[in-house]
């Protein structure tokens, strides 16, 4: 028994055959010996199209179901990710508190180290109304006045007082010695999508 897989005709090919058969039938008289055969071929092709349309519709519903499933999985994994990110933040706060209370900048484990480092100075806005216009810009659209912290930081570091703003130089962070993050995985190219997206 042959194991060769015969690919079914596409909807476009079946419809094209039906159009061609009707064109042929229109040029025949009912007395033509091929008239009945052509008419029968049309009926068979129409049945093929009905089955094909049913199959295409079913495949579309399958795709819709897979999209819904992917959405549900995405929501599940997003919730899990947010929960674990919260746990990481809680762990950072816990270790920071312990190290500050003990007055140490470094803790050692079995071949591992946890270090407490100072964050770079950051701008803290104490009162937006007091910040001078020189440190704001208009963002469009809609027109909104936005404080430019980079300008404020530059001025404060140069010793220039900026009303309504200050530098926070007391914040710390935990350095776990994590390796640098790998580059973001590149998504599928146009050629990849052509291969993956098979049309009916």
């Amino acid at each position: 028994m042959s194991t060769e897989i015969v690919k079914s005709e596409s909807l476009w090919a079946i419809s094209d055959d039906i159009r061609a058969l009707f064109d042929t039938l229109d040029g025949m008289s009912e007395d033509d010996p091929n008239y009945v055969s052509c008419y029968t071929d049309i009926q068979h092709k129409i049945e093929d199209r009905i089955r094909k349309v049913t199959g295409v519709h079913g495949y579309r519903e399958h795709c819709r179901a897979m999209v819904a499933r992917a959405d549900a999985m995405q929501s599940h994994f997003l919730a899990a990710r947010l929960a674990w990110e919260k746990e990481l933040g809680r762990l950072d706060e816990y270790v920071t508190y312990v190290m500050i209370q003990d007055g140490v900048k470094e803790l050692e484990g079995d071949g591992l180290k946890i270090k407490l480092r100072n964050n770079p100075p950051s701008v803290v806005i104490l009162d937006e109304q007091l910040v001078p216009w020189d440190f704001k810009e208009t963002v469009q659209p809609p027109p909104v006045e936005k404080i430019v912290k980079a300008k404020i930081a530059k001025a404060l570091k140069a010793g220039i007082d900026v009303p309504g703003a200050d530098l926070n130089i007391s914040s710390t962070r935990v350095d776990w010695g994590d390796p640098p993050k790998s580059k973001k995985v590149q998504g599928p190219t146009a050629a990849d999508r052509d291969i993956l997206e098979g049309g009916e």
Side-chain angles (χ1 to χ4, degrees):
M1 182 177 64
S2 175
T3 59
E4 181 181 357
I5 298 176
V6 180
K7 186 177 180 180
S8 62
E9 290 185 279
S10 67
L11 181 61
W12 180 87
I14 294 172
S15 297
D16 190 53
D17 287 344
I18 292 174
R19 287 192 298 270
L21 286 168
F22 269 116
D23 288 342
T24 301
L25 192 67
D26 287 341
M28 289 183 179
S29 67
E30 294 186 5
D31 297 331
D32 191 309
N34 294 318
Y35 184 89
V36 174
S37 176
C38 185
Y39 184 81
T40 301
D41 288 342
I42 290 175
Q43 296 303 312
H44 289 161
K45 282 292 180 179
I46 290 176
E47 291 172 0
D48 289 343
R49 185 168 65 181
I50 291 172
R51 285 192 293 270
K52 190 65 178 181
V53 169
T54 301
V56 170
H57 190 280
Y59 181 67
R60 181 179 182 275
E61 288 305 305
H62 169 72
C63 292
R64 282 164 52 84
M66 294 305 292
V67 168
R69 181 180 178 186
D71 285 343
M73 292 175 64
Q74 184 179 31
S75 299
H76 170 76
F77 286 120
L78 178 59
R81 174 176 176 171
L82 292 175
W84 284 113
E85 285 181 347
K86 184 177 181 180
E87 186 66 12
L88 284 172
R90 189 196 66 79
L91 194 59
D92 278 356
E93 292 176 0
Y94 169 71
V95 173
T96 300
Y97 176 80
V98 170
M99 295 179 75
I100 290 176
Q101 291 298 311
D102 288 348
V104 297
K105 291 285 187 178
E106 185 176 303
L107 293 174
E108 290 192 21
D110 186 10
L112 300 170
K113 290 183 179 181
I114 303 175
K115 298 179 180 179
L116 197 62
R117 299 187 184 277
N118 292 327
N119 283 320
S122 59
V123 173
V124 179
I125 304 301
L126 304 175
D127 190 335
E128 292 187 12
Q129 302 299 324
L130 295 179
V131 177
W133 288 103
D134 292 346
F135 299 97
K136 297 179 181 180
E137 65 181 8
T138 303
V139 180
Q140 300 281 355
V144 176
E145 294 301 327
K146 178 183 177 182
I147 294 175
V148 184
K149 289 187 175 181
K151 289 184 179 180
I152 296 176
K154 185 176 181 180
L156 291 173
K157 289 176 182 178
I160 301 172
D161 182 54
V162 179
D166 200 356
L167 277 180
N168 178 15
I169 58 175
S170 62
S171 65
T172 58
R173 73 181 189 280
V174 179
D175 182 357
W176 297 87
D178 295 332
K181 293 182 179 180
S182 59
K183 293 182 179 179
K184 187 176 181 180
V185 178
Q186 183 178 358
T189 63
D192 294 331
R193 286 193 292 270
D194 288 342
I195 295 173
L196 295 172
E197 296 175 2
E200 286 292 331

